Amino acid sequence: MSLRSCSLRLVQRVRLPRHCAYATQVHPHHLVTKPSAFGQPTLKSHPHLVKPGELTPGIPASEYERRRRQLVEGLPHGSLVVCVAGQVKYMSAAIFYKFRQASDFWYLTGFEEPDSALILEKTGTPRGFRMLLYSTGKDPSKEKWDGAFTRFQDVLGLFGADEARPLESFADDLRAFAARAEHVYADVPAHHGRRAGSGRGLLRYLSRQQPRAARSDPDAYLDAIAASKRRPLAPLVGALRSVKSTHEQEVMKASADISARAHAKTMRFAQPGLSEADLQAHFEYMCTRSGVQRPAYVPVVASGENALVIHYTRNDHLLRDGELVLLDAGGEYNGYASDITRTFPVNGTFTPPQRELYAALLATQKALVKECAVARGHSLDSLHRRSVSLLRAELGKIGLPCEGTVLERVLYPHYLTHPIGIDLHESGTVERGAPLKEGMVITIEPGKHE
Ligand SMILES: [Mn+2]
């Protein structure tokens, strides 16, 4: 049999697994499409992923334009918005991690290449702003290693930029734009998605000790903006991101459905003698086959007492008969995270005490989900307080009274909820005391994990 007929037979034998509701369809173009001419999936190169009108799977190009317009509309005259792409991160030397675009940059552009930047200048034109997108463009020597980058003319056509320019022009352009602007909204990309003031131990210490190394410092571009003109961008984009559009909600439902199915399948796969890593691998396999691009976070597979460690991620113990195992895992699908935690018996059957405890937690969770309606007027804080009293009552019913602060100190030391979206912990700038709004998406996780 020739190699050609052999590979054709393999193609013909592809069967889509029934459990993959969102499995990618094998499209006939697959067999003839040349390497992509773009730095990311497009309708032309990936019709099985991107539908007509969409810029990224599930999100129309018009929605990206609406996001930019809404952002700029809320700014005073003389405003400039600057947002830079994520950087490739390295495990060691030239060994890179899979790239993930910076969340705010992706939200505003849909552009998925590193080494890119966005400038929006507020204008009096009908569009309301001028958009400049900086990127790598065609670079044959680089593309031999890294694959295609989107050409500048396609940056104009696909992404709606008024001007597409090489990244090398960014610093000088920014200096010129910033000089004539009154307010420049920008952020330090390394701090995106983190609580203000947080940092990473040693690195944070070292960065205070050393002067800026311009070439390697992703924040060096801020030097082009006079300090008196700098305004924080993250809270503005965070406020937009906190309310999800219909399209975003559809993608998020699909993301959660995929993770939910993978959870159910992984529960059935579990049995005594397997390792926690086996469950992780099974979960991730199910997700990937359904189109998930990456885990939304490092999964926690914690059997027995390991479940008491909130961020247990070693996942290297064996599952024992009679124990419970906690699986906290979710995929990132088409740019949107999911976050599901479930605890189940390794051997498939709860003991009576395990069942009682599980039922108490489940009742608490179901009651809280019902309270997540705009009409109830809850804030994140009031929902959290409600979760503490509900959980206390449920535990009391099964003979586990939690007097004083023991519940919040020992059993439930974390917060009930966080907004979720492009990031697992999204919109860190959203006020916890403010009433929830229609279109917000939050997690409900009483007595489990953050
Ligand atoms: Mn969570």
Side-chain angles (χ1 to χ4, degrees):
M1 185 191 296
S2 72
L3 185 61
R4 188 179 171 79
S5 63
C6 175
S7 61
L8 274 177
R9 257 190 67 191
L10 283 176
V11 168
Q12 283 160 0
R13 286 177 60 194
V14 165
R15 291 274 190 284
L16 287 176
R18 285 210 189 105
H19 49 261
C20 290
Y22 296 90
T24 39
Q25 298 289 323
V26 176
H27 195 278
H29 289 176
H30 258 181
L31 304 177
V32 294
T33 305
K34 290 175 188 169
S36 175
F38 307 96
Q40 65 191 75
T42 64
L43 173 63
K44 204 170 166 187
S45 62
H46 295 72
H48 57 296
L49 298 179
V50 181
K51 303 291 168 235
E54 293 177 353
L55 182 55
T56 61
I59 308 291
S62 57
E63 181 155 327
Y64 286 97
E65 178 71 3
R66 179 189 57 73
R67 294 168 180 179
R68 290 185 291 264
R69 195 176 59 237
Q70 264 185 293
L71 172 65
V72 174
E73 266 174 7
L75 303 179
H77 288 292
S79 287
L80 195 70
V81 171
V82 186
C83 193
V84 301
Q87 286 209 318
V88 175
K89 294 184 175 65
Y90 291 88
M91 188 162 74
S92 65
I95 311 305
F96 53 84
Y97 288 105
K98 182 173 177 174
F99 175 69
R100 181 183 182 273
Q101 187 55 282
S103 302
D104 281 350
F105 181 83
W106 187 76
Y107 180 79
L108 292 174
T109 62
F111 197 65
E112 296 185 358
E113 296 176 26
D115 301 321
S116 310
L118 169 74
I119 291 181
L120 299 174
E121 186 184 39
K122 186 170 172 113
T123 62
T125 60
R127 192 185 189 186
F129 60 89
R130 182 176 166 213
M131 173 179 174
L132 297 97
L133 198 49
Y134 297 81
S135 62
T136 302
K138 284 279 122 182
D139 183 343
S141 62
K142 219 176 163 190
E143 290 177 278
K144 185 158 181 67
W145 293 93
D146 298 337
F149 294 98
T150 305
R151 298 178 304 173
F152 292 128
Q153 58 260 52
D154 290 326
V155 170
L156 301 177
L158 284 171
F159 297 92
D162 294 300
E163 291 184 48
R165 296 186 182 177
L167 188 66
E168 291 75 54
S169 316
F170 174 61
D172 287 343
D173 282 8
L174 178 57
R175 196 162 284 114
F177 275 98
R180 66 172 185 253
E182 287 175 55
H183 317 273
V184 183
Y185 294 85
D187 267 309
V188 182
H191 298 171
H192 274 198
R194 291 200 195 142
R195 289 186 194 118
S198 82
R200 291 295 178 268
L202 181 64
L203 270 180
R204 190 166 176 236
Y205 171 79
L206 288 175
S207 67
R208 280 204 303 263
Q209 306 304 312
Q210 292 175 353
R212 270 189 180 168
R215 279 185 68 83
S216 62
D217 184 352
D219 311 340
Y221 75 95
L222 290 172
D223 293 341
I225 309 165
S228 63
K229 294 183 178 182
R230 286 183 213 159
R231 315 273 182 268
L233 176 65
L236 305 177
V237 181
L240 292 178
R241 278 172 56 184
S242 69
V243 176
K244 272 69 178 176
S245 71
T246 312
H247 292 290
E248 288 182 296
Q249 290 178 34
E250 288 302 316
V251 177
M252 290 198 74
K253 270 183 211 157
S255 182
D257 279 353
I258 291 168
S259 293
R261 269 167 203 277
H263 263 268
K265 287 284 178 183
T266 305
M267 278 179 207
R268 281 170 216 142
F269 174 73
Q271 59 176 45
L274 291 180
S275 73
E276 293 163 345
D278 286 325
L279 300 198
Q280 177 180 342
H282 194 270
F283 180 84
E284 289 176 351
Y285 171 79
M286 300 308 305
C287 284
T288 303
R289 295 227 40 200
S290 298
V292 156
Q293 286 85 11
R294 59 170 60 77
Y297 51 101
V298 182
V300 177
V301 189
S303 62
E305 288 181 14
N306 293 336
L308 298 172
V309 179
I310 293 186
H311 287 165
Y312 173 83
T313 52
R314 291 188 59 95
N315 303 349
D316 57 2
H317 280 87
L318 295 178
L319 309 180
R320 288 192 297 215
D321 200 10
E323 278 183 350
L324 296 175
V325 57
L326 178 149
L327 176 61
D328 179 357
E332 182 187 299
Y333 176 72
N334 292 345
Y336 288 83
S338 54
D339 179 3
I340 301 177
T341 305
R342 286 296 180 272
T343 300
F344 52 92
V346 166
N347 63 17
T349 309
F350 283 114
T351 64
Q354 287 170 350
R355 186 185 302 277
E356 278 194 338
L357 191 57
Y358 182 86
L361 209 52
L362 185 62
T364 308
Q365 199 204 14
K366 284 187 169 172
L368 289 164
V369 170
K370 268 192 195 150
E371 298 214 17
C372 281
V374 172
R376 305 296 293 261
H378 272 298
S379 65
L380 297 178
D381 275 343
S382 71
L383 264 179
H384 177 75
R385 287 194 297 273
R386 183 91 180 105
S387 73
V388 174
S389 60
L390 280 169
L391 193 56
R392 193 190 305 280
E394 288 294 333
L395 291 175
K397 279 190 218 165
I398 61 169
L400 288 172
C402 297
E403 306 295 339
T405 59
V406 81
L407 178 64
E408 288 160 278
R409 274 190 301 110
V410 183
L411 291 177
Y412 180 29
H414 57 82
Y415 202 62
L416 168 71
T417 171
H418 54 85
I420 180 172
I422 297 170
D423 291 315
L424 176 70
H425 288 201
E426 169 142 309
S427 314
T429 52
V430 165
E431 199 29 66
R432 281 182 169 180
L436 294 171
K437 284 191 271 190
E438 193 177 337
M440 284 183 167
V441 182
I442 63 170
T443 62
I444 296 293
E445 320 179 68
K448 287 189 281 185
H449 282 241
E450 240 191 294

